[in-house]
PDB file of all heavy atoms in Angstrom:
ATOM      1  N   LEU A   1     168.517  57.957  63.262  1.00  0.00           N
ATOM      2  CA  LEU A   1     167.660  58.973  63.772  1.00  0.00           C
ATOM      3  C   LEU A   1     166.183  58.980  63.293  1.00  0.00           C
ATOM      4  O   LEU A   1     165.243  59.055  64.113  1.00  0.00           O
ATOM      5  CB  LEU A   1     168.265  60.403  63.505  1.00  0.00           C
ATOM      6  CG  LEU A   1     167.547  61.610  64.142  1.00  0.00           C
ATOM      7  CD1 LEU A   1     167.582  61.519  65.677  1.00  0.00           C
ATOM      8  CD2 LEU A   1     168.281  62.876  63.656  1.00  0.00           C
ATOM      9  N   ILE A   2     166.005  58.813  61.997  1.00  0.00           N
ATOM     10  CA  ILE A   2     164.722  58.933  61.356  1.00  0.00           C
ATOM     11  C   ILE A   2     163.742  57.859  61.802  1.00  0.00           C
ATOM     12  O   ILE A   2     162.588  58.170  62.245  1.00  0.00           O
ATOM     13  CB  ILE A   2     164.815  58.993  59.850  1.00  0.00           C
ATOM     14  CG1 ILE A   2     165.618  60.188  59.343  1.00  0.00           C
ATOM     15  CG2 ILE A   2     163.435  58.929  59.177  1.00  0.00           C
ATOM     16  CD1 ILE A   2     164.973  61.458  59.813  1.00  0.00           C
ATOM     17  N   PRO A   3     164.155  56.586  61.816  1.00  0.00           N
ATOM     18  CA  PRO A   3     163.161  55.498  62.369  1.00  0.00           C
ATOM     19  C   PRO A   3     162.826  55.702  63.794  1.00  0.00           C
ATOM     20  O   PRO A   3     161.813  55.481  64.238  1.00  0.00           O
ATOM     21  CB  PRO A   3     163.924  54.246  62.063  1.00  0.00           C
ATOM     22  CG  PRO A   3     164.926  54.517  61.060  1.00  0.00           C
ATOM     23  CD  PRO A   3     165.310  55.943  61.266  1.00  0.00           C
ATOM     24  N   ALA A   4     163.878  56.150  64.587  1.00  0.00           N
ATOM     25  CA  ALA A   4     163.651  56.393  66.009  1.00  0.00           C
ATOM     26  C   ALA A   4     162.575  57.468  66.226  1.00  0.00           C
ATOM     27  O   ALA A   4     161.681  57.259  67.123  1.00  0.00           O
ATOM     28  CB  ALA A   4     164.950  56.764  66.705  1.00  0.00           C
ATOM     29  N   ILE A   5     162.705  58.537  65.492  1.00  0.00           N
ATOM     30  CA  ILE A   5     161.689  59.642  65.683  1.00  0.00           C
ATOM     31  C   ILE A   5     160.354  59.219  65.210  1.00  0.00           C
ATOM     32  O   ILE A   5     159.365  59.367  65.942  1.00  0.00           O
ATOM     33  CB  ILE A   5     162.184  60.888  64.918  1.00  0.00           C
ATOM     34  CG1 ILE A   5     163.577  61.486  65.433  1.00  0.00           C
ATOM     35  CG2 ILE A   5     161.142  61.983  64.903  1.00  0.00           C
ATOM     36  CD1 ILE A   5     164.158  62.481  64.554  1.00  0.00           C
ATOM     37  N   ILE A   6     160.285  58.664  64.015  1.00  0.00           N
ATOM     38  CA  ILE A   6     158.858  58.439  63.385  1.00  0.00           C
ATOM     39  C   ILE A   6     158.105  57.413  64.256  1.00  0.00           C
ATOM     40  O   ILE A   6     156.866  57.449  64.240  1.00  0.00           O
ATOM     41  CB  ILE A   6     159.015  58.020  61.986  1.00  0.00           C
ATOM     42  CG1 ILE A   6     157.709  58.250  61.220  1.00  0.00           C
ATOM     43  CG2 ILE A   6     159.383  56.545  61.790  1.00  0.00           C
ATOM     44  CD1 ILE A   6     157.779  58.126  59.733  1.00  0.00           C
ATOM     45  N   MET A   7     158.882  56.522  65.021  1.00  0.00           N
ATOM     46  CA  MET A   7     158.133  55.552  65.850  1.00  0.00           C
ATOM     47  C   MET A   7     157.613  56.145  67.110  1.00  0.00           C
ATOM     48  O   MET A   7     156.899  55.465  67.900  1.00  0.00           O
ATOM     49  CB  MET A   7     159.107  54.419  66.157  1.00  0.00           C
ATOM     50  CG  MET A   7     159.210  53.412  64.975  1.00  0.00           C
ATOM     51  SD  MET A   7     157.622  52.634  64.510  1.00  0.00           S
ATOM     52  CE  MET A   7     157.132  51.812  65.890  1.00  0.00           C
ATOM     53  N   GLY A   8     158.023  57.435  67.406  1.00  0.00           N
ATOM     54  CA  GLY A   8     157.436  58.026  68.583  1.00  0.00           C
ATOM     55  C   GLY A   8     158.448  58.265  69.724  1.00  0.00           C
ATOM     56  O   GLY A   8     158.125  58.706  70.851  1.00  0.00           O
ATOM     57  N   ASN A   9     159.696  57.850  69.517  1.00  0.00           N
ATOM     58  CA  ASN A   9     160.756  58.108  70.429  1.00  0.00           C
ATOM     59  C   ASN A   9     161.180  59.611  70.451  1.00  0.00           C
ATOM     60  O   ASN A   9     160.920  60.293  69.458  1.00  0.00           O
ATOM     61  CB  ASN A   9     162.014  57.202  70.160  1.00  0.00           C
ATOM     62  CG  ASN A   9     161.599  55.754  70.156  1.00  0.00           C
ATOM     63  OD1 ASN A   9     161.395  55.161  71.190  1.00  0.00           O
ATOM     64  ND2 ASN A   9     161.543  55.196  68.930  1.00  0.00           N
ATOM     65  N   THR A  10     161.902  60.019  71.456  1.00  0.00           N
ATOM     66  CA  THR A  10     162.515  61.350  71.397  1.00  0.00           C
ATOM     67  C   THR A  10     164.026  61.139  71.399  1.00  0.00           C
ATOM     68  O   THR A  10     164.515  60.110  71.830  1.00  0.00           O
ATOM     69  CB  THR A  10     162.100  62.250  72.691  1.00  0.00           C
ATOM     70  OG1 THR A  10     162.473  61.507  73.833  1.00  0.00           O
ATOM     71  CG2 THR A  10     160.556  62.422  72.696  1.00  0.00           C
ATOM     72  N   ALA A  11     164.757  62.137  70.981  1.00  0.00           N
ATOM     73  CA  ALA A  11     166.181  61.883  70.761  1.00  0.00           C
ATOM     74  C   ALA A  11     167.052  63.049  71.082  1.00  0.00           C
ATOM     75  O   ALA A  11     166.592  64.285  71.057  1.00  0.00           O
ATOM     76  CB  ALA A  11     166.390  61.622  69.248  1.00  0.00           C
ATOM     77  N   VAL A  12     168.240  62.668  71.627  1.00  0.00           N
ATOM     78  CA  VAL A  12     169.329  63.676  71.697  1.00  0.00           C
ATOM     79  C   VAL A  12     170.362  63.271  70.601  1.00  0.00           C
ATOM     80  O   VAL A  12     170.830  62.149  70.599  1.00  0.00           O
ATOM     81  CB  VAL A  12     170.040  63.604  73.090  1.00  0.00           C
ATOM     82  CG1 VAL A  12     171.220  64.520  73.123  1.00  0.00           C
ATOM     83  CG2 VAL A  12     168.969  63.921  74.165  1.00  0.00           C
ATOM     84  N   PHE A  13     170.702  64.181  69.709  1.00  0.00           N
ATOM     85  CA  PHE A  13     171.575  63.852  68.565  1.00  0.00           C
ATOM     86  C   PHE A  13     172.750  64.701  68.590  1.00  0.00           C
ATOM     87  O   PHE A  13     172.679  65.979  68.729  1.00  0.00           O
ATOM     88  CB  PHE A  13     170.667  64.127  67.348  1.00  0.00           C
ATOM     89  CG  PHE A  13     171.465  64.253  66.032  1.00  0.00           C
ATOM     90  CD1 PHE A  13     172.482  63.414  65.746  1.00  0.00           C
ATOM     91  CD2 PHE A  13     171.117  65.294  65.125  1.00  0.00           C
ATOM     92  CE1 PHE A  13     173.233  63.525  64.520  1.00  0.00           C
ATOM     93  CE2 PHE A  13     171.872  65.426  63.957  1.00  0.00           C
ATOM     94  CZ  PHE A  13     172.905  64.547  63.658  1.00  0.00           C
ATOM     95  N   LYS A  14     173.929  64.076  68.469  1.00  0.00           N
ATOM     96  CA  LYS A  14     175.189  64.729  68.432  1.00  0.00           C
ATOM     97  C   LYS A  14     175.911  64.342  67.151  1.00  0.00           C
ATOM     98  O   LYS A  14     176.198  63.139  66.954  1.00  0.00           O
ATOM     99  CB  LYS A  14     176.096  64.440  69.598  1.00  0.00           C
ATOM    100  CG  LYS A  14     177.415  65.279  69.620  1.00  0.00           C
ATOM    101  CD  LYS A  14     178.425  64.784  70.526  1.00  0.00           C
ATOM    102  CE  LYS A  14     179.255  63.686  69.869  1.00  0.00           C
ATOM    103  NZ  LYS A  14     180.125  64.189  68.678  1.00  0.00           N
ATOM    104  N   PRO A  15     176.139  65.308  66.237  1.00  0.00           N
ATOM    105  CA  PRO A  15     176.855  64.975  64.988  1.00  0.00           C
ATOM    106  C   PRO A  15     178.257  64.479  65.206  1.00  0.00           C
ATOM    107  O   PRO A  15     178.838  64.693  66.314  1.00  0.00           O
ATOM    108  CB  PRO A  15     176.871  66.271  64.145  1.00  0.00           C
ATOM    109  CG  PRO A  15     175.779  67.102  64.808  1.00  0.00           C
ATOM    110  CD  PRO A  15     175.774  66.697  66.241  1.00  0.00           C
ATOM    111  N   ALA A  16     178.834  63.748  64.235  1.00  0.00           N
ATOM    112  CA  ALA A  16     180.208  63.285  64.395  1.00  0.00           C
ATOM    113  C   ALA A  16     181.170  64.521  64.399  1.00  0.00           C
ATOM    114  O   ALA A  16     180.831  65.599  64.041  1.00  0.00           O
ATOM    115  CB  ALA A  16     180.501  62.370  63.180  1.00  0.00           C
ATOM    116  N   LYS A  17     182.361  64.237  64.847  1.00  0.00           N
ATOM    117  CA  LYS A  17     183.417  65.265  64.993  1.00  0.00           C
ATOM    118  C   LYS A  17     183.694  65.855  63.499  1.00  0.00           C
ATOM    119  O   LYS A  17     183.877  67.060  63.465  1.00  0.00           O
ATOM    120  CB  LYS A  17     184.696  64.688  65.577  1.00  0.00           C
ATOM    121  CG  LYS A  17     185.751  65.800  65.847  1.00  0.00           C
ATOM    122  CD  LYS A  17     186.958  65.151  66.491  1.00  0.00           C
ATOM    123  CE  LYS A  17     188.097  66.226  66.635  1.00  0.00           C
ATOM    124  NZ  LYS A  17     189.211  65.602  67.348  1.00  0.00           N
ATOM    125  N   GLN A  18     183.868  65.044  62.523  1.00  0.00           N
ATOM    126  CA  GLN A  18     184.004  65.533  61.176  1.00  0.00           C
ATOM    127  C   GLN A  18     182.632  65.275  60.471  1.00  0.00           C
ATOM    128  O   GLN A  18     181.953  64.265  60.696  1.00  0.00           O
ATOM    129  CB  GLN A  18     185.092  64.701  60.423  1.00  0.00           C
ATOM    130  CG  GLN A  18     186.520  65.151  60.779  1.00  0.00           C
ATOM    131  CD  GLN A  18     187.078  64.392  61.932  1.00  0.00           C
ATOM    132  OE1 GLN A  18     186.697  63.226  62.232  1.00  0.00           O
ATOM    133  NE2 GLN A  18     187.928  64.957  62.717  1.00  0.00           N
ATOM    134  N   GLY A  19     182.239  66.216  59.680  1.00  0.00           N
ATOM    135  CA  GLY A  19     181.010  66.199  59.004  1.00  0.00           C
ATOM    136  C   GLY A  19     179.905  66.821  59.975  1.00  0.00           C
ATOM    137  O   GLY A  19     178.748  66.262  60.040  1.00  0.00           O
ATOM    138  N   VAL A  20     180.268  67.840  60.570  1.00  0.00           N
ATOM    139  CA  VAL A  20     179.385  68.452  61.605  1.00  0.00           C
ATOM    140  C   VAL A  20     178.740  69.732  61.008  1.00  0.00           C
ATOM    141  O   VAL A  20     177.492  69.976  61.297  1.00  0.00           O
ATOM    142  CB  VAL A  20     180.188  68.789  62.864  1.00  0.00           C
ATOM    143  CG1 VAL A  20     181.327  69.664  62.542  1.00  0.00           C
ATOM    144  CG2 VAL A  20     179.349  69.411  63.901  1.00  0.00           C
ATOM    145  N   LEU A  21     179.436  70.514  60.238  1.00  0.00           N
ATOM    146  CA  LEU A  21     178.802  71.768  59.692  1.00  0.00           C
ATOM    147  C   LEU A  21     177.667  71.540  58.701  1.00  0.00           C
ATOM    148  O   LEU A  21     176.798  72.333  58.598  1.00  0.00           O
ATOM    149  CB  LEU A  21     179.874  72.636  59.030  1.00  0.00           C
ATOM    150  CG  LEU A  21     180.926  73.386  59.918  1.00  0.00           C
ATOM    151  CD1 LEU A  21     182.007  74.043  59.115  1.00  0.00           C
ATOM    152  CD2 LEU A  21     180.203  74.331  60.823  1.00  0.00           C
ATOM    153  N   LEU A  22     177.681  70.375  58.121  1.00  0.00           N
ATOM    154  CA  LEU A  22     176.554  70.093  57.129  1.00  0.00           C
ATOM    155  C   LEU A  22     175.272  69.816  57.815  1.00  0.00           C
ATOM    156  O   LEU A  22     174.245  69.819  57.173  1.00  0.00           O
ATOM    157  CB  LEU A  22     176.984  68.804  56.302  1.00  0.00           C
ATOM    158  CG  LEU A  22     177.257  67.553  56.976  1.00  0.00           C
ATOM    159  CD1 LEU A  22     176.013  66.743  57.094  1.00  0.00           C
ATOM    160  CD2 LEU A  22     178.379  66.721  56.337  1.00  0.00           C
ATOM    161  N   ILE A  23     175.350  69.595  59.201  1.00  0.00           N
ATOM    162  CA  ILE A  23     174.017  69.452  59.869  1.00  0.00           C
ATOM    163  C   ILE A  23     173.467  70.793  60.186  1.00  0.00           C
ATOM    164  O   ILE A  23     172.166  70.928  60.395  1.00  0.00           O
ATOM    165  CB  ILE A  23     174.262  68.724  61.265  1.00  0.00           C
ATOM    166  CG1 ILE A  23     174.823  67.274  60.977  1.00  0.00           C
ATOM    167  CG2 ILE A  23     173.059  68.593  62.132  1.00  0.00           C
ATOM    168  CD1 ILE A  23     173.905  66.385  60.185  1.00  0.00           C
ATOM    169  N   ALA A  24     174.276  71.873  60.161  1.00  0.00           N
ATOM    170  CA  ALA A  24     173.778  73.210  60.542  1.00  0.00           C
ATOM    171  C   ALA A  24     172.519  73.641  59.744  1.00  0.00           C
ATOM    172  O   ALA A  24     171.648  74.225  60.269  1.00  0.00           O
ATOM    173  CB  ALA A  24     174.915  74.238  60.416  1.00  0.00           C
ATOM    174  N   PRO A  25     172.573  73.445  58.407  1.00  0.00           N
ATOM    175  CA  PRO A  25     171.381  73.893  57.634  1.00  0.00           C
ATOM    176  C   PRO A  25     170.155  73.189  57.950  1.00  0.00           C
ATOM    177  O   PRO A  25     169.049  73.666  57.573  1.00  0.00           O
ATOM    178  CB  PRO A  25     171.829  73.573  56.148  1.00  0.00           C
ATOM    179  CG  PRO A  25     173.346  73.423  56.179  1.00  0.00           C
ATOM    180  CD  PRO A  25     173.616  72.939  57.563  1.00  0.00           C
ATOM    181  N   LEU A  26     170.209  72.034  58.704  1.00  0.00           N
ATOM    182  CA  LEU A  26     169.034  71.249  58.955  1.00  0.00           C
ATOM    183  C   LEU A  26     168.416  71.470  60.316  1.00  0.00           C
ATOM    184  O   LEU A  26     167.333  70.941  60.642  1.00  0.00           O
ATOM    185  CB  LEU A  26     169.343  69.693  58.783  1.00  0.00           C
ATOM    186  CG  LEU A  26     169.914  69.369  57.451  1.00  0.00           C
ATOM    187  CD1 LEU A  26     170.325  67.931  57.389  1.00  0.00           C
ATOM    188  CD2 LEU A  26     169.018  69.713  56.249  1.00  0.00           C
ATOM    189  N   ILE A  27     169.111  72.235  61.166  1.00  0.00           N
ATOM    190  CA  ILE A  27     168.653  72.399  62.531  1.00  0.00           C
ATOM    191  C   ILE A  27     167.287  73.085  62.564  1.00  0.00           C
ATOM    192  O   ILE A  27     166.372  72.666  63.311  1.00  0.00           O
ATOM    193  CB  ILE A  27     169.693  73.183  63.391  1.00  0.00           C
ATOM    194  CG1 ILE A  27     170.931  72.369  63.556  1.00  0.00           C
ATOM    195  CG2 ILE A  27     169.037  73.584  64.734  1.00  0.00           C
ATOM    196  CD1 ILE A  27     171.997  73.023  64.389  1.00  0.00           C
TER     197      ILE A  27
END
């Protein structure tokens, strides 16, 4: 995700089925 964004792309990001709640604090 990070290289894609910083180069100027836009993104749709879906977290994995497990390890999903840990993304919540970063939204």
Side-chain angles (χ1 to χ4, degrees):
L1 185 62
I2 297 302
I5 296 171
I6 201 169
M7 282 301 299
N9 302 284
T10 60
V12 177
F13 163 43
K14 188 196 82 66
K17 184 178 178 181
Q18 284 87 29
V20 59
L21 285 175
L22 59 92
I23 299 297
L26 305 177
I27 291 180

